[in-house]
Amino acid sequence: GGGYSNGGAADSGSFSVGAPPPVFGCTDATACNYDPDATTDDGSCWFASLGMDCNGDCLNADDSVVTFNLFDSYGDGWEDYTGASNYIQFGESVLTINDSNCSDCGFGINSCDCYSEAFCLPDGDYTYSYVDAAAYNNEESWTVTDADGGTMSSGEGADGSADYTFTVGADVVYG
């Protein structure tokens, strides 16, 4: 409270200005972009991929970063007009391009034309599957790349459902 003058007669009272304005940001302390000053979550939180830290490095130094890069030449994602979606199945992960994860990489006519997801993998042989479950598979392609951007595997949706393989840590031995 504080005093104020009312026509020469002393009076006292209190007033409040209101709550301070919200500070928008990521309020999840487990997120890579956590903002301890944020009072209102704005949906901007992002998290490290499984097996990775927030810098994109593998938690296990012996693992290698492998990235699945999905592309759509039309730029409308891998979903069709019925809501069905073509996808890549890699272990427990289902990878596809849709309105919630796509970016505009300049490949397609529209702006939902690419999506990438990185994994930290120990040396070994891996298999993944392309599942043709929707229309417009001729617009879809992908690469699997190593940390240096070298292509380890690739495919096109027009080839239909199929299994693909790649190897992590294959050193060429001359002998």
Side-chain angles (χ1 to χ4, degrees):
Y4 58 91
S5 176
N6 183 5
D11 199 354
S12 66
S14 64
F15 63 93
S16 64
V17 176
V23 176
F24 293 97
C26 174
T27 60
D28 187 328
T30 64
C32 292
N33 62 330
Y34 169 65
D35 181 353
D37 297 325
T39 58
T40 301
D41 195 278
D42 63 2
S44 68
C45 297
W46 63 274
F47 302 86
S49 295
L50 185 63
M52 301 181 120
D53 64 18
C54 291
N55 296 321
D57 298 320
C58 294
L59 296 175
N60 181 345
D62 293 332
D63 287 353
S64 298
V65 176
V66 173
T67 305
F68 283 76
N69 306 288
L70 284 58
F71 308 102
D72 184 272
S73 65
Y74 192 75
D76 59 351
W78 284 18
E79 295 176 329
D80 69 12
Y81 57 91
T82 68
S85 183
N86 298 324
Y87 59 93
I88 289 177
Q89 181 79 48
F90 179 60
E92 298 295 317
S93 297
V94 174
L95 310 174
T96 191
I97 302 175
N98 58 43
D99 289 339
S100 68
N101 69 6
C102 65
S103 297
D104 185 356
C105 297
F107 298 112
I109 295 169
N110 296 308
S111 62
C112 186
D113 60 5
C114 67
Y115 170 71
S116 295
E117 186 162 341
F119 297 87
C120 286
L121 302 174
D123 290 355
D125 297 324
Y126 294 89
T127 299
Y128 65 95
S129 301
Y130 172 78
V131 180
D132 184 3
Y136 307 114
N137 64 357
N138 59 314
E139 301 172 2
E140 302 163 359
S141 63
W142 63 89
T143 60
V144 180
T145 56
D146 61 22
D148 296 324
T151 300
M152 305 167 71
S153 179
S154 64
E156 295 185 10
D159 295 336
S161 293
D163 293 332
Y164 297 83
T165 61
F166 63 93
T167 300
V168 175
D171 294 326
V172 177
V173 177
Y174 299 99

